[in-house]
Amino acid sequence: MSMGRAFSVALVGLEGHIVEVEADIGQTLPNFVLLGLPDASLNEAKERIRAAAHNSGIPLSRRKITVNLVPASLPKKGSAFDLAIVMAALSAAGDVRGTGRTVFIAELGLDGRLRPVRGILPAVMAGMRAGFSEFAVAAANLGEARLVPGANARGYQSLARVALDFGANAQELMLEDIGDAEPSFSAAAAVGEPSAGPDLIDVAGQAEARMALEVAAAGGHHLLLVGPPGAGKTMLAERLPGLLPDLDDAEAMEVTAIHSLGGRDQVLSLIRRPPYERPHHTASTVAIIGGGSGIPHPGSASRAHRGVLFLDEARNRKHPTLRVYFTSQSGATRLAGEFSHGQLCSSRRPGSAVLMSCNLCGSVVNSGTAPPRAAEGRATYHRNSLDDQP
């Protein structure tokens, strides 16, 4: 028997855990066994890996291959383990040399192409915290992986190119079928591009409301904007992010990691400006709080971390959503009911400012974490009014 090893990262919410991939080739009938609590998409990796290896010119052994994902008690989800599994199996067969302490994070296509996965930034951050510095990712994820200081990331278009770098026989590999050009992305689809938002200088009058915005921005307070339709609540709310300073390196890494986990856009640079989220008043609890089956997605509240979450028309919003959002535990706002296996994606106060608006009267009420007593009384009245809605 021979053994091969490789490393990858399992993400549970924003928390990354190093996973050691062990591969053993036995002397029994051909089979592929995957152990270590894989989900359905990871179980399907067995067929993807066999086809990808064959089409790359390095077919897997025809004997029994047993792959164990350590720690076995940690649930593994998604297709980001594909590259680590195939490299461990090839190492066990002697087709490539040992992979050392390189962390492999990529999905495989049937033709051997490496496909990008979401959550590369928090995965690389977790690897760096665990003492790993070498990473092999899909070429489309290379720019995001290199955002982590100190990470030596290499991007590949195909499994054949990865195997070549780890000692595979170049004459057997199919290197010419898949191009190796670096991918290009449109600026419109990129996360982290600087954009100038509305400026408070555009607002004429509204002296009290402007002062309330400035106080909320300076102190990291939440704010309740109350007034009749057309009073300018939305106009003022859109200009609050312009009062906030740029994020420092640590804060920018936190915010960008959350957007990377969402996987909606390519992450090409750190997000330096505080984000602004304005979910529609009919948005579901999951859309705002986050969650979902399989790999959870961050909701609007998580994406607004270190920025501004604007809950317009608060009176018309579902009460369970507001109650879950403002349920505090150990000083942190819980932003996702239960992520898989009890993990939460949370934003810490005053990490994000919450703006709520309703049409009850014509005043502006400061409802921060430590409000004045007079404002506290009026804020309580409005909260009770919201609770009375059906």
Side-chain angles (χ1 to χ4, degrees):
M1 293 191 299
S2 54
M3 290 280 296
R5 285 184 174 82
F7 294 94
S8 191
V9 177
L11 286 177
V12 184
L14 278 177
E15 294 295 323
H17 306 270
I18 287 292
V19 172
E20 183 178 356
V21 181
E22 301 175 327
D24 172 76
I25 298 181
Q27 300 295 334
T28 57
L29 295 175
N31 196 6
F32 197 127
V33 180
L34 189 57
L35 308 174
L37 287 183
D39 70 342
S41 62
L42 183 50
N43 249 323
E44 294 173 351
K46 297 180 288 188
E47 303 305 322
R48 288 197 303 270
I49 287 169
R50 280 199 181 277
H54 175 77
N55 292 324
S56 299
I58 43 175
L60 296 182
S61 170
R62 293 185 177 276
R63 294 180 289 175
K64 181 180 180 179
I65 301 175
T66 303
V67 175
N68 184 36
L69 306 177
V70 181
S73 59
L74 178 69
K76 322 297 189 307
K77 297 180 178 295
S79 56
F81 299 94
D82 288 4
L83 184 57
I85 293 174
V86 72
M87 291 303 292
L90 293 174
S91 177
D95 294 325
V96 299
R97 65 173 185 270
T99 58
R101 290 177 62 81
T102 300
V103 178
F104 299 91
I105 311 170
E107 177 183 333
L108 287 174
L110 297 183
D111 59 354
R113 191 184 304 270
L114 265 60
R115 302 188 181 278
V117 296
R118 63 189 181 97
I120 283 290
L121 185 61
V124 174
M125 291 169 61
M128 291 293 293
R129 287 194 298 267
F132 294 81
S133 60
E134 302 285 335
F135 299 88
V137 300
N141 285 138
L142 181 58
E144 182 178 343
R146 286 180 173 172
L147 294 177
V148 181
N152 181 16
R154 289 169 288 172
Y156 297 94
Q157 285 283 355
S158 66
L159 172 60
R161 289 292 179 183
V162 181
L164 181 63
D165 274 5
F166 284 89
N169 188 345
Q171 296 180 350
E172 299 177 355
L173 296 174
M174 297 181 182
L175 301 173
E176 69 281 354
D177 292 339
I178 298 178
D180 293 296
E182 289 291 331
S184 60
F185 305 112
S186 63
V191 170
E193 297 292 333
S195 59
D199 197 300
L200 194 59
I201 197 173
D202 301 328
V203 179
Q206 300 276 21
E208 292 184 0
R210 290 166 61 98
M211 179 176 292
L213 286 175
E214 293 166 359
V215 171
H221 303 300
H222 301 325
L223 198 65
L224 174 63
L225 300 176
V226 186
K233 302 183 297 297
T234 300
M235 175 186 65
L236 290 165
E238 290 175 343
R239 285 156 175 78
L240 177 57
L243 299 177
L244 301 177
D246 288 346
L247 304 176
D248 60 29
D249 291 343
E251 293 170 343
M253 292 291 288
E254 288 179 11
V255 172
T256 310
I258 293 174
H259 286 260
S260 169
L261 190 63
R264 297 192 302 180
D265 301 303
Q266 290 290 341
V267 177
L268 300 181
S269 61
L270 291 180
I271 299 175
R272 292 291 182 180
R273 290 298 304 152
Y276 173 75
E277 290 286 330
R278 182 189 173 186
H280 194 264
H281 68 269
T282 61
S284 66
T285 300
V286 172
I288 296 177
I289 306 303
S293 60
I295 301 177
H297 288 257
S300 297
S302 293
R303 293 194 300 272
H305 182 58
R306 300 289 180 185
V308 175
L309 173 67
F310 180 37
L311 300 179
D312 200 4
E313 300 294 343
R315 257 192 122 201
N316 298 329
R317 292 188 181 273
K318 299 178 181 179
H319 291 161
T321 301
L322 299 180
R323 291 183 186 278
V324 172
Y325 179 77
F326 287 108
T327 298
S328 296
Q329 183 178 14
S330 302
T333 303
R334 297 179 57 173
L335 302 182
E338 284 199 8
F339 270 9
S340 299
H341 308 287
Q343 296 295 322
L344 300 174
C345 187
S346 63
S347 171
R348 297 188 178 277
R349 293 175 178 165
S352 58
V354 179
L355 280 171
M356 298 180 65
S357 72
C358 65
N359 299 324
L360 294 179
C361 67
S363 61
V364 178
V365 180
N366 180 354
S367 60
T369 54
R373 288 193 175 275
E376 183 178 15
R378 289 198 285 175
T380 301
Y381 164 75
H382 292 303
R383 284 196 298 270
N384 291 339
S385 299
L386 291 174
D387 291 340
D388 292 337
Q389 299 299 311

mmCIF file of all heavy atoms in Angstrom, residues 199-233:
data_model
loop_
_atom_site.group_PDB
_atom_site.id
_atom_site.type_symbol
_atom_site.label_atom_id
_atom_site.label_comp_id
_atom_site.label_asym_id
_atom_site.label_seq_id
_atom_site.Cartn_x
_atom_site.Cartn_y
_atom_site.Cartn_z
ATOM 1 N N ASP A 199 -23.271 62.680 -1.602
ATOM 2 C CA ASP A 199 -22.587 63.467 -0.583
ATOM 3 C C ASP A 199 -23.607 64.287 0.201
ATOM 4 O O ASP A 199 -24.594 64.783 -0.353
ATOM 5 C CB ASP A 199 -21.554 64.387 -1.241
ATOM 6 C CG ASP A 199 -20.544 64.906 -0.232
ATOM 7 O OD1 ASP A 199 -20.962 65.577 0.731
ATOM 8 O OD2 ASP A 199 -19.341 64.649 -0.417
ATOM 9 N N LEU A 200 -23.357 64.435 1.494
ATOM 10 C CA LEU A 200 -24.270 65.196 2.353
ATOM 11 C C LEU A 200 -24.317 66.663 1.948
ATOM 12 O O LEU A 200 -25.268 67.374 2.298
ATOM 13 C CB LEU A 200 -23.833 65.062 3.815
ATOM 14 C CG LEU A 200 -24.838 65.504 4.889
ATOM 15 C CD1 LEU A 200 -26.126 64.703 4.779
ATOM 16 C CD2 LEU A 200 -24.237 65.353 6.276
ATOM 17 N N ILE A 201 -23.328 67.132 1.217
ATOM 18 C CA ILE A 201 -23.319 68.538 0.798
ATOM 19 C C ILE A 201 -24.467 68.844 -0.159
ATOM 20 O O ILE A 201 -24.846 70.004 -0.344
ATOM 21 C CB ILE A 201 -21.953 68.873 0.142
ATOM 22 C CG1 ILE A 201 -21.756 70.383 0.095
ATOM 23 C CG2 ILE A 201 -21.867 68.276 -1.259
ATOM 24 C CD1 ILE A 201 -20.376 70.804 -0.387
ATOM 25 N N ASP A 202 -25.043 67.788 -0.759
ATOM 26 C CA ASP A 202 -26.155 67.988 -1.693
ATOM 27 C C ASP A 202 -27.458 68.318 -0.982
ATOM 28 O O ASP A 202 -28.419 68.736 -1.638
ATOM 29 C CB ASP A 202 -26.363 66.732 -2.544
ATOM 30 C CG ASP A 202 -25.125 66.354 -3.337
ATOM 31 O OD1 ASP A 202 -24.384 67.274 -3.714
ATOM 32 O OD2 ASP A 202 -24.915 65.145 -3.579
ATOM 33 N N VAL A 203 -27.523 68.118 0.338
ATOM 34 C CA VAL A 203 -28.771 68.303 1.089
ATOM 35 C C VAL A 203 -28.879 69.761 1.523
ATOM 36 O O VAL A 203 -27.964 70.295 2.179
ATOM 37 C CB VAL A 203 -28.825 67.370 2.312
ATOM 38 C CG1 VAL A 203 -30.116 67.597 3.094
ATOM 39 C CG2 VAL A 203 -28.706 65.924 1.880
ATOM 40 N N ALA A 204 -29.975 70.406 1.175
ATOM 41 C CA ALA A 204 -30.242 71.783 1.595
ATOM 42 C C ALA A 204 -31.152 71.768 2.810
ATOM 43 O O ALA A 204 -32.165 71.064 2.828
ATOM 44 C CB ALA A 204 -30.885 72.575 0.464
ATOM 45 N N GLY A 205 -30.804 72.520 3.830
ATOM 46 C CA GLY A 205 -31.608 72.543 5.048
ATOM 47 C C GLY A 205 -31.390 71.293 5.878
ATOM 48 O O GLY A 205 -30.296 70.736 5.918
ATOM 49 N N GLN A 206 -32.446 70.845 6.581
ATOM 50 C CA GLN A 206 -32.394 69.624 7.398
ATOM 51 C C GLN A 206 -31.246 69.681 8.412
ATOM 52 O O GLN A 206 -30.491 68.721 8.578
ATOM 53 C CB GLN A 206 -32.233 68.384 6.515
ATOM 54 C CG GLN A 206 -33.337 68.162 5.507
ATOM 55 C CD GLN A 206 -34.523 67.439 6.109
ATOM 56 O OE1 GLN A 206 -34.690 67.441 7.339
ATOM 57 N NE2 GLN A 206 -35.341 66.841 5.271
ATOM 58 N N ALA A 207 -31.127 70.812 9.108
ATOM 59 C CA ALA A 207 -29.983 70.996 10.009
ATOM 60 C C ALA A 207 -29.959 69.942 11.111
ATOM 61 O O ALA A 207 -28.897 69.370 11.416
ATOM 62 C CB ALA A 207 -30.027 72.401 10.615
ATOM 63 N N GLU A 208 -31.116 69.664 11.732
ATOM 64 C CA GLU A 208 -31.151 68.688 12.821
ATOM 65 C C GLU A 208 -30.844 67.286 12.312
ATOM 66 O O GLU A 208 -30.115 66.526 12.957
ATOM 67 C CB GLU A 208 -32.521 68.724 13.508
ATOM 68 C CG GLU A 208 -32.797 70.000 14.270
ATOM 69 C CD GLU A 208 -34.126 69.933 15.002
ATOM 70 O OE1 GLU A 208 -34.807 68.888 14.888
ATOM 71 O OE2 GLU A 208 -34.485 70.911 15.677
ATOM 72 N N ALA A 209 -31.393 66.955 11.165
ATOM 73 C CA ALA A 209 -31.140 65.627 10.615
ATOM 74 C C ALA A 209 -29.674 65.466 10.220
ATOM 75 O O ALA A 209 -29.064 64.417 10.429
ATOM 76 C CB ALA A 209 -32.039 65.391 9.398
ATOM 77 N N ARG A 210 -29.070 66.498 9.663
ATOM 78 C CA ARG A 210 -27.652 66.439 9.297
ATOM 79 C C ARG A 210 -26.795 66.232 10.536
ATOM 80 O O ARG A 210 -25.845 65.441 10.532
ATOM 81 C CB ARG A 210 -27.241 67.728 8.580
ATOM 82 C CG ARG A 210 -27.830 67.878 7.185
ATOM 83 C CD ARG A 210 -27.671 69.305 6.685
ATOM 84 N NE ARG A 210 -26.258 69.663 6.597
ATOM 85 C CZ ARG A 210 -25.560 69.627 5.466
ATOM 86 N NH1 ARG A 210 -26.148 69.246 4.336
ATOM 87 N NH2 ARG A 210 -24.294 69.975 5.451
ATOM 88 N N MET A 211 -27.138 66.943 11.623
ATOM 89 C CA MET A 211 -26.370 66.770 12.856
ATOM 90 C C MET A 211 -26.532 65.353 13.398
ATOM 91 O O MET A 211 -25.557 64.747 13.879
ATOM 92 C CB MET A 211 -26.820 67.786 13.905
ATOM 93 C CG MET A 211 -26.083 67.641 15.239
ATOM 94 S SD MET A 211 -26.537 68.912 16.428
ATOM 95 C CE MET A 211 -25.836 70.361 15.644
ATOM 96 N N ALA A 212 -27.751 64.801 13.316
ATOM 97 C CA ALA A 212 -27.969 63.441 13.792
ATOM 98 C C ALA A 212 -27.135 62.449 12.991
ATOM 99 O O ALA A 212 -26.556 61.505 13.543
ATOM 100 C CB ALA A 212 -29.454 63.080 13.693
ATOM 101 N N LEU A 213 -27.046 62.635 11.665
ATOM 102 C CA LEU A 213 -26.223 61.765 10.838
ATOM 103 C C LEU A 213 -24.753 61.874 11.237
ATOM 104 O O LEU A 213 -24.036 60.867 11.318
ATOM 105 C CB LEU A 213 -26.387 62.125 9.368
ATOM 106 C CG LEU A 213 -27.693 61.718 8.694
ATOM 107 C CD1 LEU A 213 -27.723 62.261 7.278
ATOM 108 C CD2 LEU A 213 -27.843 60.206 8.676
ATOM 109 N N GLU A 214 -24.278 63.076 11.477
ATOM 110 C CA GLU A 214 -22.878 63.269 11.835
ATOM 111 C C GLU A 214 -22.555 62.627 13.182
ATOM 112 O O GLU A 214 -21.497 62.016 13.357
ATOM 113 C CB GLU A 214 -22.555 64.759 11.855
ATOM 114 C CG GLU A 214 -22.607 65.402 10.471
ATOM 115 C CD GLU A 214 -22.623 66.920 10.518
ATOM 116 O OE1 GLU A 214 -22.621 67.461 11.655
ATOM 117 O OE2 GLU A 214 -22.652 67.557 9.454
ATOM 118 N N VAL A 215 -23.484 62.762 14.136
ATOM 119 C CA VAL A 215 -23.270 62.136 15.446
ATOM 120 C C VAL A 215 -23.262 60.618 15.316
ATOM 121 O O VAL A 215 -22.424 59.925 15.908
ATOM 122 C CB VAL A 215 -24.356 62.591 16.443
ATOM 123 C CG1 VAL A 215 -24.281 61.778 17.729
ATOM 124 C CG2 VAL A 215 -24.205 64.081 16.742
ATOM 125 N N ALA A 216 -24.197 60.067 14.529
ATOM 126 C CA ALA A 216 -24.254 58.621 14.338
ATOM 127 C C ALA A 216 -22.990 58.109 13.659
ATOM 128 O O ALA A 216 -22.448 57.058 14.023
ATOM 129 C CB ALA A 216 -25.482 58.251 13.501
ATOM 130 N N ALA A 217 -22.492 58.854 12.669
ATOM 131 C CA ALA A 217 -21.277 58.433 11.971
ATOM 132 C C ALA A 217 -20.067 58.502 12.883
ATOM 133 O O ALA A 217 -19.205 57.609 12.865
ATOM 134 C CB ALA A 217 -21.068 59.302 10.732
ATOM 135 N N ALA A 218 -19.983 59.552 13.702
ATOM 136 C CA ALA A 218 -18.821 59.716 14.575
ATOM 137 C C ALA A 218 -18.802 58.686 15.698
ATOM 138 O O ALA A 218 -17.741 58.189 16.076
ATOM 139 C CB ALA A 218 -18.810 61.131 15.164
ATOM 140 N N GLY A 219 -19.982 58.341 16.222
ATOM 141 C CA GLY A 219 -20.032 57.430 17.364
ATOM 142 C C GLY A 219 -20.394 55.999 17.032
ATOM 143 O O GLY A 219 -20.449 55.165 17.927
ATOM 144 N N GLY A 220 -20.678 55.707 15.781
ATOM 145 C CA GLY A 220 -21.071 54.350 15.412
ATOM 146 C C GLY A 220 -22.431 53.971 15.949
ATOM 147 O O GLY A 220 -22.675 52.810 16.276
ATOM 148 N N HIS A 221 -23.349 54.953 16.059
ATOM 149 C CA HIS A 221 -24.678 54.699 16.615
ATOM 150 C C HIS A 221 -25.647 54.258 15.531
ATOM 151 O O HIS A 221 -25.489 54.577 14.352
ATOM 152 C CB HIS A 221 -25.227 55.958 17.285
ATOM 153 C CG HIS A 221 -24.341 56.505 18.354
ATOM 154 N ND1 HIS A 221 -23.991 55.778 19.461
ATOM 155 C CD2 HIS A 221 -23.736 57.710 18.478
ATOM 156 C CE1 HIS A 221 -23.206 56.511 20.239
ATOM 157 N NE2 HIS A 221 -23.035 57.689 19.654
ATOM 158 N N HIS A 222 -26.697 53.544 15.979
ATOM 159 C CA HIS A 222 -27.814 53.265 15.091
ATOM 160 C C HIS A 222 -28.722 54.496 15.052
ATOM 161 O O HIS A 222 -28.675 55.349 15.938
ATOM 162 C CB HIS A 222 -28.599 52.052 15.579
ATOM 163 C CG HIS A 222 -27.761 50.813 15.672
ATOM 164 N ND1 HIS A 222 -26.754 50.541 14.801
ATOM 165 C CD2 HIS A 222 -27.795 49.779 16.560
ATOM 166 C CE1 HIS A 222 -26.197 49.384 15.120
ATOM 167 N NE2 HIS A 222 -26.808 48.909 16.187
ATOM 168 N N LEU A 223 -29.560 54.574 14.028
ATOM 169 C CA LEU A 223 -30.369 55.767 13.848
ATOM 170 C C LEU A 223 -31.754 55.376 13.356
ATOM 171 O O LEU A 223 -31.894 54.509 12.492
ATOM 172 C CB LEU A 223 -29.708 56.687 12.811
ATOM 173 C CG LEU A 223 -30.154 58.144 12.778
ATOM 174 C CD1 LEU A 223 -29.788 58.866 14.062
ATOM 175 C CD2 LEU A 223 -29.500 58.852 11.593
ATOM 176 N N LEU A 224 -32.776 56.019 13.921
ATOM 177 C CA LEU A 224 -34.159 55.828 13.480
ATOM 178 C C LEU A 224 -34.636 57.129 12.867
ATOM 179 O O LEU A 224 -34.724 58.157 13.545
ATOM 180 C CB LEU A 224 -35.056 55.435 14.658
ATOM 181 C CG LEU A 224 -36.558 55.333 14.366
ATOM 182 C CD1 LEU A 224 -36.822 54.237 13.339
ATOM 183 C CD2 LEU A 224 -37.322 55.052 15.660
ATOM 184 N N LEU A 225 -34.923 57.109 11.570
ATOM 185 C CA LEU A 225 -35.417 58.288 10.866
ATOM 186 C C LEU A 225 -36.930 58.181 10.749
ATOM 187 O O LEU A 225 -37.441 57.224 10.156
ATOM 188 C CB LEU A 225 -34.793 58.377 9.472
ATOM 189 C CG LEU A 225 -33.263 58.479 9.426
ATOM 190 C CD1 LEU A 225 -32.779 58.456 7.992
ATOM 191 C CD2 LEU A 225 -32.790 59.737 10.122
ATOM 192 N N VAL A 226 -37.637 59.153 11.300
ATOM 193 C CA VAL A 226 -39.094 59.115 11.336
ATOM 194 C C VAL A 226 -39.638 60.387 10.707
ATOM 195 O O VAL A 226 -39.192 61.491 11.033
ATOM 196 C CB VAL A 226 -39.616 58.984 12.784
ATOM 197 C CG1 VAL A 226 -41.130 58.799 12.789
ATOM 198 C CG2 VAL A 226 -38.934 57.843 13.494
ATOM 199 N N GLY A 227 -40.596 60.244 9.800
ATOM 200 C CA GLY A 227 -41.182 61.423 9.175
ATOM 201 C C GLY A 227 -42.159 61.041 8.097
ATOM 202 O O GLY A 227 -42.234 59.884 7.683
ATOM 203 N N PRO A 228 -42.923 62.005 7.616
ATOM 204 C CA PRO A 228 -43.919 61.730 6.574
ATOM 205 C C PRO A 228 -43.235 61.428 5.241
ATOM 206 O O PRO A 228 -42.057 61.719 5.054
ATOM 207 C CB PRO A 228 -44.719 63.034 6.511
ATOM 208 C CG PRO A 228 -43.761 64.086 6.981
ATOM 209 C CD PRO A 228 -42.920 63.427 8.022
ATOM 210 N N PRO A 229 -43.958 60.840 4.302
ATOM 211 C CA PRO A 229 -43.378 60.583 2.976
ATOM 212 C C PRO A 229 -42.881 61.874 2.338
ATOM 213 O O PRO A 229 -43.536 62.915 2.399
ATOM 214 C CB PRO A 229 -44.543 59.970 2.189
ATOM 215 C CG PRO A 229 -45.450 59.390 3.230
ATOM 216 C CD PRO A 229 -45.339 60.305 4.411
ATOM 217 N N GLY A 230 -41.701 61.818 1.712
ATOM 218 C CA GLY A 230 -41.134 62.983 1.054
ATOM 219 C C GLY A 230 -40.337 63.886 1.956
ATOM 220 O O GLY A 230 -39.845 64.933 1.509
ATOM 221 N N ALA A 231 -40.159 63.518 3.241
ATOM 222 C CA ALA A 231 -39.416 64.365 4.161
ATOM 223 C C ALA A 231 -37.909 64.313 3.915
ATOM 224 O O ALA A 231 -37.181 65.170 4.420
ATOM 225 C CB ALA A 231 -39.713 63.960 5.605
ATOM 226 N N GLY A 232 -37.438 63.321 3.169
ATOM 227 C CA GLY A 232 -36.013 63.239 2.870
ATOM 228 C C GLY A 232 -35.281 62.163 3.647
ATOM 229 O O GLY A 232 -34.046 62.186 3.730
ATOM 230 N N LYS A 233 -36.017 61.187 4.210
ATOM 231 C CA LYS A 233 -35.364 60.146 5.011
ATOM 232 C C LYS A 233 -34.407 59.311 4.159
ATOM 233 O O LYS A 233 -33.266 59.061 4.543
ATOM 234 C CB LYS A 233 -36.433 59.242 5.649
ATOM 235 C CG LYS A 233 -37.418 59.984 6.530
ATOM 236 C CD LYS A 233 -38.403 59.037 7.199
ATOM 237 C CE LYS A 233 -39.278 58.307 6.201
ATOM 238 N NZ LYS A 233 -40.141 59.223 5.409
#
